[in-house]
Amino acid sequence: MVRALLVTLACAGLVLSAGAHSQASRSAGDQRAERAQTHSYGRDPLQTLDYWPGAAADSPLVVFVHGGGWSRGDKRMMQGSDKLEHWHAQGYAVASVNYRLVPDATVEQQAADVAAAVALLKRRSGELGFDPEKIALVGHSAGAHLVALVGTDEQYLSAGGLSFADIAGVVPLDGAAFDATSYGGAETIFTGRMFKQAFGEDPVRQARLSPILQAAAPNAAHFAILHIDRPDARLQSGQLATALSSAGSDVELEAFPGRGLRGHAEINRRMGDPDSPATPVLDAFLSRVFR
């Protein structure tokens, strides 16, 4: 069951770690932000993405989907981040996706937005300069839920002319609502309201929006499910890994130190920091699926 610890503040990733390394990261990130290209994949002002080229015209592409409780967050959290600096050091192109937000949009529309952004990027891969056969999705919190949903329910990719074969890997970071039917026991009134706003009260709809319950084959071929050491994260991440493995996907499941909202934010904020234990695990996964 997803609880209050997953709630809302994925944009804590805007804050970099202290010290000389962070100052260097911010400087490098600022330079890359100047080179960022913004592209629209729909008519709504939020249907936009930022794109940073990789080291070569055939670089792999990492597409990042922000969190924020399905109702907040912004693609600009990528600017100045350790993730951007580190993924560039690996030679990767990077995209950071905005999507329409609840309550003005539905979670179904958000998943469709993520898939539409990937479809636009793939169509324009020659112009943008990356390998269209090497695209990975990484999402944090609500974004982890959205990339997992896109990786288990092919209707979203199909609407943009894509399939699971177009996704090299899916990486949910400390995800929320892999089983959206279980939020009824949320620990706080605020958390309960957040999930009710996102998923409503219809159990059929909740099931359709639950990656665990959508994970019967087929699914994307490769997943790395990373989470901090919390009971709820262990439970839902483990259930998702089991469902995906049973359906034939290759799945890595890794837990990392961290508690509460702070740990939930830090697994995202520190991704790319060489001192974060999650960084080499994600590096190895991306290297493997991009090979």
Side-chain angles (χ1 to χ4, degrees):
M1 177 171 54
V2 182
R3 300 192 188 271
L5 301 177
L6 289 174
V7 177
T8 61
L9 299 180
C11 285
L14 287 167
V15 181
L16 296 177
S17 56
H21 174 72
S22 291
Q23 291 297 328
S25 297
R26 185 174 293 108
S27 175
D30 289 345
Q31 293 173 7
R32 291 187 173 92
E34 292 175 1
R35 291 170 24 214
Q37 307 166 18
T38 299
H39 300 274
S40 296
Y41 61 86
R43 295 181 179 179
D44 191 281
L46 285 175
Q47 291 177 305
T48 61
L49 61 90
D50 288 340
Y51 173 81
W52 292 263
D58 61 350
S59 295
L61 171 65
V62 180
V63 179
F64 184 78
V65 181
H66 69 76
W70 300 273
S71 62
R72 56 186 60 81
D74 194 276
K75 62 182 171 58
R76 290 174 295 179
M77 66 173 293
M78 182 61 69
Q79 297 179 4
S81 69
D82 284 339
K83 289 189 290 292
L84 181 59
E85 179 187 20
H86 184 73
W87 289 338
H88 267 289
Q90 306 299 306
Y92 301 151
V94 179
S96 183
V97 176
N98 264 357
Y99 49 88
R100 291 169 290 176
L101 299 173
V102 169
D104 296 327
T106 65
V107 174
E108 290 91 337
Q109 288 173 317
Q110 293 178 332
D113 282 355
V114 172
V118 174
L120 173 79
L121 287 161
K122 179 147 186 170
R123 286 196 304 270
R124 300 181 66 179
S125 59
E127 167 195 345
L128 295 173
F130 68 87
D131 187 339
E133 303 304 316
K134 296 181 179 180
I135 300 173
L137 303 181
V138 180
H140 173 246
S141 192
H145 166 264
L146 292 174
V147 300
L149 187 59
V150 170
T152 53
D153 187 342
E154 201 168 25
Q155 67 167 310
Y156 298 108
L157 291 168
S158 296
L162 304 180
S163 71
F164 289 141
D166 293 294
I167 305 300
V170 180
V171 184
L173 299 177
D174 214 51
F178 295 145
D179 181 355
T181 68
S182 69
Y183 78 83
E187 290 181 339
T188 70
I189 293 173
F190 177 80
T191 308
R193 287 174 178 169
M194 180 188 71
F195 286 119
K196 182 176 180 180
Q197 183 183 57
F199 299 106
E201 298 181 276
D202 176 4
V204 175
R205 177 175 180 249
Q206 292 167 356
R208 285 200 306 266
L209 294 173
S210 300
I212 289 171
L213 304 179
Q214 296 299 319
N219 301 294
H222 303 283
F223 286 78
I225 304 170
L226 313 183
H227 64 89
I228 63 169
D229 187 19
R230 309 181 281 108
D232 292 335
R234 286 197 303 271
L235 176 64
Q236 289 226 345
S237 296
Q239 288 175 340
L240 179 60
T242 297
L244 289 166
S245 295
S246 296
S249 291
D250 161 58
V251 184
E252 297 181 16
L253 175 66
E254 295 282 351
F256 300 93
R259 302 269 180 184
L261 182 60
R262 179 176 179 178
H264 175 64
E266 282 196 347
I267 193 173
N268 176 51
R269 179 179 63 83
R270 295 188 62 209
M271 185 60 70
D273 179 345
D275 293 328
S276 168
T279 295
V281 173
L282 180 54
D283 284 351
F285 176 78
L286 292 176
S287 177
R288 179 168 66 85
V289 300
F290 284 152
R291 248 192 324 266

